[in-house]
Amino acid sequence: MNIIETVDLSHVYGANTPFERVAVDNISLSVKDGELLGIIGHTGSGKSTFIQMLNGLLKPTSGKILLNGADIWEKPKEIMKVRFKVGMVFQYPEYQLFEETVFKDIAFGPKNMGLGEEEIKERVLQAADFVELKYELLEKSPFELSGGEKRRAAIAGVLAMDPDVLILDEPTAGLDPMGREILLTQIMSYHKKRKNTVIFVSHSMEDIARIADRVLVINDGKAVMLDTAQNVFSRPDELEKIGLRVPQITKIITGLKKRGYNLPDGVLTVEEGFDAIMRLFKSKGVGVCSEM
Amino acid sequence: MLRDVTIGQYFPGSSVLHRMDPRAKIVLLLPIIVFIFITKNYFAVALTTLFVFVLMLISGVPVKMYFKSLKMIIFIVLFTSVINLFYGRGEPLVQLGFIKITEAGINNSVFVAIRIITLIIASSMLTFTTSPTELTDALERLFKPLKVFHIQPNEIAMMITIALRFVPTLVEETDKIMNAQKARGADMESGGLIQRVKALVPVLIPLFVSAFRRAYDLAMAMECRCYRGGEGRTKMKVLKMSSLDFFAILIVFLLCIGVISCNVFLPAAVR
């Protein structure tokens, strides 16, 4: 079943002024329930505009967004309900923290939903669990936390609304490799446990390759590719033309293949690449003693 | 929503007004404003209004932008002009209890409305046709005599530049934070006044935090580049008065003479 569908979705900034610019140009897309969709695109390609339309923060200039089959702009007064169902984590979400304590900040969303105190508490603790935020941090001021903790607290603020669709805009930007790894794992385990839909926007091809079921490539406001990660990353020339690239490991393996080594197609992660090369060594009878 | 604020925006162009020396523009704006306000009869008002409208048309800035900046103050215009309607001496034309409307009152309210509108158009014209850098350069030069009072014009200029530089950044930041809070269900569009003010807290706190962070970062960056107050620095673009500016001075001078002679030789409509 499709949870979100867009039909010929377009957005034009500053329509009818000299500054008119088409940010999103006729994108039609269906996102299946429980899918993990990755979105990649160059800076300014329109991906941020696109995702902001999905939860009703921006009104499309033309086209429709269907959530569970119903047009979200049919009743503009109830757009808030859409925002609770489609949770959005913006870039650098830590800059939105404002409450006295982390607990209160995470509770901001559930409170706006009008939930009871008991349920709010339960949801805050659950969200804190998902992002592995220690309970003793909940009573601290959000401004006392470290950068990575702030980021996780802010993400918990959206998770606490328990959205059916979770949109993350470059959640790993500006984190160190360790923080990146932790966050990615948490997102994947959240997705596995809750079985809800996740839309993940990133500049990092490695991240996308690792977690996405399908990948949408946006260029100049248009959807240029929509396919499985393997298929998208098997078209490196086209990607490079629009300023994107394939994951490094994919590049290495395809490079080796071109030189005549018998390696499989569609290798996306370092682990897969490692296994493939080890198998090749074994088949050639080369003894390697290594661990990874 | 915040993008609709047009007062203080700059529209690049190459009109006569764009090419004028910013110092001349600032200095000439003062007599124009003064003479807009001392008009005493409809001939004088017609003269100043015509003057401002002609300038508006040759400024090369879309007329729509001027109306946009007027939209922000339409309430003030209406309010003052309605108040003025009831404060006129003389024979009442209409009398409703203690409220009376006289001919002088009607004149007053029309004058006030026209004066404020032309004033806003004239001053938006300055910012529409002068880039912020030009503006601060000119102010720095114009403030130079204040050195006698130990006021450092170059420091003031730096502060103005920084403030102007951060306006768009903060507008963008506000937009972002508002969106983030809206995504968490913050309601900023409905409710009474108190509710709306309360709804601003989740926006203002992060905004202040980030403004302070930016300020510290900027101070650090300036110190790293050995900024010591910038006294005696030379300019990349040296301001120069051209024949265009002297011509402008002449025109404004003629306008002043025109307004004064209208005031003196023709009957006054308002006090």
Side-chain angles (χ1 to χ4, degrees):
Chain A
M1 209 199 94
N2 294 331
I3 183 141
I4 282 197
E5 239 176 282
T6 69
V7 186
D8 299 327
L9 197 63
S10 297
H11 189 85
V12 183
Y13 280 114
N16 306 321
T17 68
F19 308 110
E20 183 173 304
R21 200 170 61 83
V22 180
V24 172
D25 193 0
N26 270 314
I27 294 188
S28 295
L29 164 80
S30 307
V31 184
K32 286 185 221 85
D33 197 5
E35 186 178 20
L36 211 162
L37 176 79
I39 299 182
I40 53 177
H42 205 253
T43 314
S45 59
K47 45 189 196 323
S48 289
T49 310
F50 179 67
I51 55 171
Q52 280 184 44
M53 282 194 280
L54 294 184
N55 78 336
L57 278 172
L58 274 179
K59 211 171 171 175
T61 317
S62 65
K64 268 194 277 190
I65 304 136
L66 307 176
L67 178 64
N68 287 321
D71 185 355
I72 64 167
W73 284 103
E74 203 168 326
K75 292 178 195 146
K77 280 195 179 148
E78 289 181 12
I79 197 72
M80 208 64 95
K81 280 188 190 155
V82 173
R83 291 186 193 152
F84 293 135
K85 276 188 194 150
V86 184
M88 166 91 100
V89 178
F90 278 90
Q91 254 176 59
Y92 298 99
E94 57 272 31
Y95 294 151
Q96 70 184 34
L97 300 169
F98 72 99
E99 277 283 12
E100 292 155 48
T101 66
V102 176
F103 184 95
K104 278 190 189 168
D105 205 285
I106 299 177
F108 182 67
K111 219 166 114 193
N112 284 330
M113 293 170 84
L115 300 177
E117 214 150 293
E118 274 304 303
E119 185 158 18
I120 290 179
K121 196 175 169 193
E122 199 177 299
R123 287 207 177 185
V124 171
L125 296 182
Q126 216 173 26
D129 279 339
F130 271 128
V131 294
E132 288 163 30
L133 212 56
K134 291 192 200 93
Y135 285 172
E136 66 250 35
L137 291 181
L138 292 179
E139 290 315 314
K140 276 196 177 173
S141 156
F143 301 107
E144 288 172 35
L145 304 186
S146 74
E149 287 167 344
K150 271 188 203 168
R151 169 89 42 112
R152 280 184 277 148
I155 294 177
V158 175
L159 294 186
M161 301 192 306
D162 200 9
D164 296 338
V165 181
L166 177 68
I167 304 178
L168 298 138
D169 192 356
E170 305 231 12
T172 56
L175 291 181
D176 55 51
M178 186 72 166
R180 228 184 159 88
E181 188 56 40
I182 294 174
L183 192 58
L184 271 187
T185 323
Q186 283 164 354
I187 292 168
M188 283 200 283
S189 75
Y190 168 80
H191 176 65
K192 225 178 239 165
K193 259 186 221 158
R194 284 277 294 103
K195 296 200 170 33
N196 62 356
T197 313
V198 175
I199 298 177
F200 186 96
V201 179
S202 184
H203 265 127
S204 159
M205 303 302 143
E206 278 75 18
D207 291 357
I208 292 277
R210 229 177 99 186
I211 73 170
D213 299 328
R214 279 199 306 165
V215 179
L216 168 70
V217 184
I218 298 185
N219 186 41
D220 259 345
K222 291 187 187 72
V224 281
M225 291 183 211
L226 174 63
D227 213 330
T228 60
Q230 256 138 5
N231 287 345
V232 166
F233 289 126
S234 65
R235 294 151 78 178
D237 300 338
E238 285 164 69
L239 286 174
E240 251 153 59
K241 225 179 258 168
I242 56 176
L244 299 170
R245 51 176 191 85
V246 297
Q248 273 170 352
I249 187 71
T250 313
K251 209 169 182 178
I252 292 171
I253 299 285
T254 32
L256 286 171
K257 262 190 72 158
K258 266 190 202 150
R259 285 178 171 73
Y261 293 97
N262 180 25
L263 286 163
D265 274 319
V267 170
L268 296 176
T269 63
V270 177
E271 286 82 4
E272 283 171 32
F274 177 79
D275 288 345
I277 292 175
M278 287 315 284
R279 254 179 277 130
L280 183 70
F281 276 144
K282 259 184 205 143
S283 69
K284 297 219 165 169
V286 185
V288 188
C289 164
S290 85
E291 251 171 56
M292 191 183 144
Chain B
M1 148 191 171
L2 287 162
R3 286 172 213 285
D4 293 338
V5 179
T6 54
I7 293 179
Q9 255 180 27
Y10 170 59
F11 283 83
S14 57
S15 73
V16 180
L17 289 175
H18 283 90
R19 278 179 284 143
M20 268 178 71
D21 188 311
R23 289 171 299 177
K25 280 192 264 188
I26 295 175
V27 172
L28 289 179
L29 183 63
L30 293 175
I32 293 174
I33 290 174
V34 169
F35 280 87
I36 280 173
F37 270 86
I38 63 163
T39 47
K40 276 193 179 151
N41 53 43
Y42 283 100
F43 296 100
V45 165
L47 199 62
T48 54
T49 313
L50 187 73
F51 177 76
V52 170
F53 269 78
V54 169
L55 281 190
M56 184 168 96
L57 291 179
I58 64 168
S59 70
V61 177
V63 177
K64 215 170 77 186
M65 296 325 292
Y66 289 102
F67 286 115
K68 256 192 176 172
S69 55
L70 282 177
K71 221 165 73 184
M72 313 252 315
I73 52 128
I74 199 73
F75 180 72
I76 303 173
V77 174
L78 282 177
F79 183 74
T80 42
S81 105
V82 167
I83 291 281
N84 268 288
L85 196 57
F86 305 115
Y87 285 90
R89 287 190 204 137
E91 279 298 294
L93 295 174
V94 186
Q95 181 118 30
L96 259 171
F98 65 95
I99 296 170
K100 57 176 184 174
I101 295 174
T102 63
E103 201 189 323
I106 294 173
N107 283 338
N108 270 345
S109 80
V110 172
F111 269 69
V112 165
I114 294 180
R115 279 172 182 168
I116 298 181
I117 289 170
T118 42
L119 167 84
I120 293 294
I121 292 179
S123 23
S124 342
M125 208 163 342
L126 175 68
T127 54
F128 282 169
T129 61
T130 320
S131 75
T133 0
E134 280 182 311
L135 212 56
T136 39
D137 261 3
L139 286 176
E140 184 177 353
R141 180 65 195 82
L142 292 172
F143 282 156
K144 241 184 194 162
L146 295 179
K147 265 194 173 165
V148 184
F149 306 108
H150 294 285
I151 293 168
Q152 297 297 328
N154 49 323
E155 281 176 10
I156 296 176
M158 178 52 86
M159 279 192 273
I160 299 174
T161 316
I162 291 173
L164 288 174
R165 152 73 184 76
F166 276 99
V167 169
T169 312
L170 289 180
V171 167
E172 199 180 305
E173 186 108 4
T174 315
D175 253 9
K176 265 190 198 158
I177 296 170
M178 268 181 141
N179 271 341
Q181 307 300 24
K182 271 192 208 161
R184 291 204 284 166
D187 185 4
M188 315 209 183
E189 274 123 35
S190 56
L193 184 69
I194 295 174
Q195 257 179 314
R196 279 188 191 214
V197 172
K198 265 190 183 163
L200 280 181
V201 173
V203 176
L204 288 182
I205 292 178
L207 191 63
F208 273 110
V209 171
S210 91
F212 276 110
R213 199 190 58 240
R214 278 178 203 286
Y216 283 126
D217 286 354
L218 182 69
M220 186 73 86
M222 283 166 83
E223 266 181 54
C224 287
R225 290 178 217 177
C226 305
Y227 181 78
R228 314 281 296 163
E231 224 194 323
R233 287 173 71 115
T234 50
K235 297 258 179 278
M236 189 167 92
K237 282 183 189 159
V238 180
L239 297 174
K240 249 191 194 151
M241 296 279 277
S242 64
S243 49
L244 184 69
D245 301 301
F246 292 110
F247 182 67
I249 293 173
L250 181 73
I251 299 266
V252 172
F253 184 68
L254 288 178
L255 171 81
C256 300
I257 305 252
V259 170
I260 291 173
S261 36
C262 281
N263 277 351
V264 172
F265 298 115
L266 295 164
V270 289
R271 274 169 293 128

